[in-house]
Amino acid sequence: MEQTKILLIGAGGFLGCRVARYWTGRYRFVALSHRDLDLSSPDEINRQFDLHRPDQVVLTAALSNTGYCAAHPDESEQVNLWGTVNVARACRRTGARLLYMSSDQVYNTCTCGQLLTEEQARSPQGPYAIHKLRAEQEVSALLPDTAVGLRLTWMYDDPASTLRAGRHLLIQLAEARQTGQALHLAVHDHRGLTDVWDVVRQLDRCFQLPAGVYNFGCPNRMNAYETVWQAVARSWGEDEARRLVLPAEAPFAPQGRNLLMDPRKAAACGIRFEETLHSLIQHLKP
């Protein structure tokens, strides 16, 4: 890996800035943020590829706010779909391998009660999920032997981090504890949550994965309300859990939403994540 030239695209985002921090001093890489590279411009992308001649490209750039994407579907399509395709085409032209980020949201119409494998039939709803799945399909066609896609869960970090934060779960819990205004979490929403640093620390191992798409994050078997309630109760006490975490019945009712990913494909290649509940407890403990 020391001689591999890596191009990190999306280095200003929630995941990308942490990857850049972690890799500094470890690998030789060039980090580009959205200020450095317009993903909608194939010419700009080709110029950067010709300048840096990367062996490995890591694409973390995305519009990841699903609400924003729903309100701005054209922008979502331009970045999340065609931006990814533009990078994949540049990889095909230069022979670079591609590691890109997808999302558990591609499963957002799944209602079955089991963990979802990468081969699970999908027909997602909403611009973000639709564009992420289409990007997977386009990349697979362009780079069938040299691209790896990672379906990520919702991620979080230490609320005290000075790196770009967004509105992840631990920040919302910290605000709830400070203000006394409880979080309402859906009982019909089943999903895993992952410490972003668990993703960052294992990302370079994905360079050796066989081409394809992988579920990549903490597994879980509970709904969002139950998961967070138990984590808070075991870390801060049941009184705090009853005060700060309340059930919300309406979202995703009555059929429910299942984003629970089966981690066995990545695990078979030596990449493993802790269960969501255990990982959350470790972060919430005083």
Side-chain angles (χ1 to χ4, degrees), residues 7-12 30-37 48 52 60-61:
L7 183 61
L8 173 62
I9 301 174
V30 174
L32 302 177
S33 73
H34 71 277
R35 296 181 180 87
D36 307 309
L37 181 62
Q48 291 289 350
H52 300 295
T60 65

Side-chain angles (χ1 to χ4, degrees), residues 2-286:
E2 293 180 358
Q3 299 305 313
T4 300
K5 293 181 288 185
I6 304 171
L7 183 61
L8 173 62
I9 301 174
F14 179 75
L15 176 60
C17 71
R18 288 162 174 82
V19 173
R21 173 72 62 87
Y22 185 73
W23 282 356
T24 298
R26 287 181 168 87
Y27 301 126
R28 182 164 58 126
F29 70 97
V30 174
L32 302 177
S33 73
H34 71 277
R35 296 181 180 87
D36 307 309
L37 181 62
D38 179 3
L39 289 180
S40 68
S41 172
D43 289 341
E44 283 192 30
I45 293 170
N46 285 328
R47 278 196 295 271
Q48 291 289 350
F49 272 65
D50 290 340
L51 175 64
H52 300 295
R53 306 303 299 181
D55 304 302
Q56 177 72 56
V57 176
V58 179
L59 177 61
T60 65
L63 291 175
S64 58
N65 185 308
T66 58
Y68 182 91
C69 290
H72 304 84
D74 292 343
E75 192 174 345
S76 174
E77 182 178 19
Q78 196 69 24
V79 174
N80 293 328
L81 172 54
W82 298 119
T84 303
V85 171
N86 289 337
V87 171
R89 287 172 175 160
C91 286
R92 185 174 65 173
R93 181 178 67 85
T94 61
R97 294 182 63 87
L98 175 62
L99 176 64
Y100 68 99
M101 306 303 126
S102 188
S103 171
D104 61 359
Q105 292 289 332
V106 300
Y107 299 111
N108 70 14
T109 56
C110 293
T111 59
C112 54
Q114 66 211 39
L115 295 182
L116 302 166
T117 69
E118 288 83 354
E119 292 73 32
Q120 180 77 29
R122 299 170 307 281
S123 54
Q125 293 180 351
Y128 176 79
I130 290 170
H131 296 150
K132 280 293 187 180
L133 183 58
R134 285 191 59 195
E136 288 182 13
Q137 295 163 344
E138 295 283 344
V139 170
S140 178
L142 285 165
L143 302 170
D145 301 316
T146 55
V148 169
L150 305 179
R151 290 178 181 159
L152 303 176
T153 72
W154 190 19
M155 295 180 290
Y156 58 83
D157 194 4
D158 185 333
S161 172
T162 59
L163 296 173
R164 181 172 177 173
R167 291 281 300 161
H168 63 73
L169 175 66
L170 294 195
I171 285 183
Q172 294 183 43
L173 279 174
E175 290 177 352
R177 204 176 194 189
Q178 181 178 15
T179 65
Q181 296 182 350
L183 285 181
H184 291 76
L185 295 168
V187 299
H188 298 290
D189 189 22
H190 297 73
R191 67 188 311 179
L193 298 101
T194 307
D195 173 9
V196 65
W197 289 102
D198 286 343
V199 171
V200 170
R201 285 187 288 267
Q202 301 197 80
L203 207 59
D204 58 356
R205 301 180 67 185
C206 299
F207 296 160
Q208 282 75 48
L209 288 176
V213 175
Y214 295 79
N215 292 334
F216 203 79
C218 287
N220 193 15
R221 293 183 180 274
M222 297 182 291
N223 65 51
Y225 164 71
E226 183 182 13
T227 301
V228 178
W229 195 97
Q230 288 199 28
V232 171
R234 296 186 194 185
S235 304
W236 298 346
E238 291 192 8
D239 288 344
E240 285 286 79
R242 283 190 286 268
R243 183 173 72 90
L244 297 178
V245 183
L246 300 178
E249 296 286 343
F252 311 110
Q255 73 275 7
R257 181 176 73 165
N258 179 22
L259 305 181
L260 299 178
M261 298 192 298
D262 189 327
R264 286 179 293 179
K265 184 177 178 181
C269 299
I271 296 174
R272 294 178 173 83
F273 292 88
E274 289 186 297
E275 290 280 340
T276 291
L277 180 59
H278 183 267
S279 185
L280 275 175
I281 289 170
Q282 299 310 306
H283 280 273
L284 292 176
K285 280 183 176 178

